[in-house]
């Protein structure tokens, strides 16, 4: 029996598919503040997505901006939503996260469409890096990876869309690259 105090949200996702699961319909468990360490409010869910490599893993982007809390909350469950942990790592303190997309090649590479641009993590959420080099620092509300060409496509809020041609160099990213003056990557044939 679930009381109103225990119930925060119930999220259902139609037609979630992953290589790890053959089900065409997935019900995500009840997310409560009591099963998320570090979250003491009823979250508003912006996005929920199944992991592409592990049927037990689920990601969610939630927020509390309607109550003055603009912290980024990216959640991960490794047990089909029974418990959650925050994987927002070192994202800026004030940053709403609208959408998440996991790379279909590198399981630890996740992109986040946020209120102030696009970020990525190469290590499953511990560290996040903002995409720069022409990516506008505006609200991106949707993001996807076009698998055939490996392009990252981000849709902004009322401004248009952005395409990062071939994310293969980001798949090969590691923290040592940050300390180098310059890095050359292979190009597509």
């Amino acid at each position: 029996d679930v009381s109103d105090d225990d119930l925060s949200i119930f999220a259902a996702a139609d037609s979630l598919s992953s290589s790890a699961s053959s089900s065409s319909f997935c019900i995500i468990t009840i997310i409560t503040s009591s099963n998320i360490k570090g979250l003491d409010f009823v979250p508003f869910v912006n996005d929920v997505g199944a992991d592409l490599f592990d049927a037990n893993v689920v990601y969610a982007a939630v927020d509390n901006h309607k109550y003055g809390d603009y912290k980024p909350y990216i959640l991960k469950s490794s047990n089909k939503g029974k418990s959650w942990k925050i994987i927002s790592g070192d994202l800026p303190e004030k940053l709403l996260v609208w959408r998440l997309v996991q790379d279909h090649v590198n399981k630890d590479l996740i992109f986040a469409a946020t209120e102030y641009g696009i970020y990525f993590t190469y290590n499953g959420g511990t560290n996040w890096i903002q995409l720069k080099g022409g990516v506008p620092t505006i609200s991106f509300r949707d993001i996807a990876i076009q698998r055939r060409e490996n392009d990252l496509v981000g849709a902004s809020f009322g401004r248009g869309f952005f395409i990062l041609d071939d994310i293969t160099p980001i798949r090969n990213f590691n923290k040592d690259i940050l300390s180098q003056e310059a890095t050359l990557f292979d190009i597509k044939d």
Side-chain angles (χ1 to χ4, degrees), residues 62-188:
V62 303
D63 78 65
N64 192 33
H65 77 276
K66 292 183 178 182
Y67 296 96
D69 179 3
Y70 294 93
K71 291 180 186 171
Y73 294 102
I74 300 175
L75 310 178
K76 178 181 179 180
S77 172
S78 297
N79 55 11
K80 297 183 179 179
K82 292 184 180 98
S83 63
W84 298 82
K85 68 177 182 175
I86 298 173
I87 61 164
S88 303
D90 56 3
L91 282 170
E93 192 67 22
K94 290 187 175 184
L95 184 73
L96 297 179
V97 179
W98 297 111
R99 177 97 162 90
L100 302 169
V101 65
Q102 181 184 35
D103 183 34
H104 58 281
V105 174
N106 178 349
K107 70 179 182 69
D108 291 324
L109 179 59
I110 301 169
F111 293 90
T114 76
E115 189 66 21
Y116 301 112
I118 299 173
Y119 289 77
F120 74 93
T121 178
Y122 58 92
N123 55 14
T126 302
N127 302 106
W128 293 85
I129 297 171
Q130 185 175 18
L131 286 180
K132 296 187 178 181
V135 180
T137 55
I138 59 174
S139 181
F140 280 89
R141 295 295 177 97
D142 203 359
I143 195 167
I145 296 173
Q146 196 281 338
R147 290 182 180 211
R148 186 186 75 217
E149 301 297 328
N150 294 307
D151 296 342
L152 181 71
V153 181
S156 69
F157 187 65
R159 302 277 179 136
F161 62 94
F162 169 84
I163 299 174
L164 176 60
D165 187 36
D166 191 13
I167 62 170
T168 301
I170 296 176
R171 288 183 179 135
N172 300 319
F173 184 87
N174 63 58
K175 67 179 178 179
D176 297 331
I177 291 173
L178 291 173
S179 63
Q180 298 174 4
E181 186 176 338
T183 302
L184 295 176
F185 296 98
D186 293 332
I187 58 169
K188 231 179 356 182

Side-chain angles (χ1 to χ4, degrees), residues 27-44:
I27 302 286
I28 309 302
T29 190
I30 295 172
I31 301 175
T32 67
S33 58
S34 63
N35 66 356
I36 305 170
K37 186 179 180 179
L39 197 67
D40 57 356
F41 61 87
V42 177
F44 180 82

